[in-house]
């Protein structure tokens, strides 16, 4: 309630996911989201790097851990 209740958290979630999708969509294909825009989630933002380049994705995950970002590999059904 102190921050504005559900509407505050709804707006914050929308803003954060929009920031991520804007970077992905504006990367000229370096990052790719396999989900059609109308179906995208605000909670889970899937993406691939370099067209699914496993070496780049591994490097990304290693660097992410250095800044305390964990469990970014995704669901095992899509290679995570």
């Amino acid at each position: 309630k102190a921050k504005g209740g559900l509407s505050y958290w709804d707006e914050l979630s929308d803003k954060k996911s929009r920031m991520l999708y804007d970077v992905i969509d504006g990367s000229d294909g370096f990052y790719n989201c396999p989900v059609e825009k109308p179906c995208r989630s605000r909670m889970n933002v899937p993406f691939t790097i370099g067209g699914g380049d496993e070496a780049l994705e591994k490097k990304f995950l290693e660097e992410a851990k250095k800044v305390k970002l964990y469990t970014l590999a995704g669901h095992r059904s899509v290679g995570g």
Side-chain angles (χ1 to χ4, degrees), residues 17-80:
S17 63
R18 202 169 346 127
M19 287 174 23
L20 287 169
Y21 285 123
D22 285 350
V23 169
I24 292 167
D25 294 339
S27 71
D28 293 325
F30 182 76
Y31 298 107
N32 180 56
C33 178
V35 180
E36 296 288 331
K37 286 185 180 183
C39 300
R40 290 179 174 178
S41 170
R42 294 186 309 170
M43 298 298 292
N44 298 298
V45 180
F47 62 94
T48 58
I49 302 172
D53 183 315
E54 289 184 27
L56 274 177
E57 291 182 359
K58 183 177 179 181
K59 177 78 171 161
F60 175 85
L61 294 172
E62 290 169 0
E63 294 298 318
K65 286 180 183 176
K66 292 178 183 178
V67 292
K68 299 183 181 180
L69 295 172
Y70 304 103
T71 65
L72 298 178
H75 193 275
R76 66 179 165 262
S77 69
V78 292

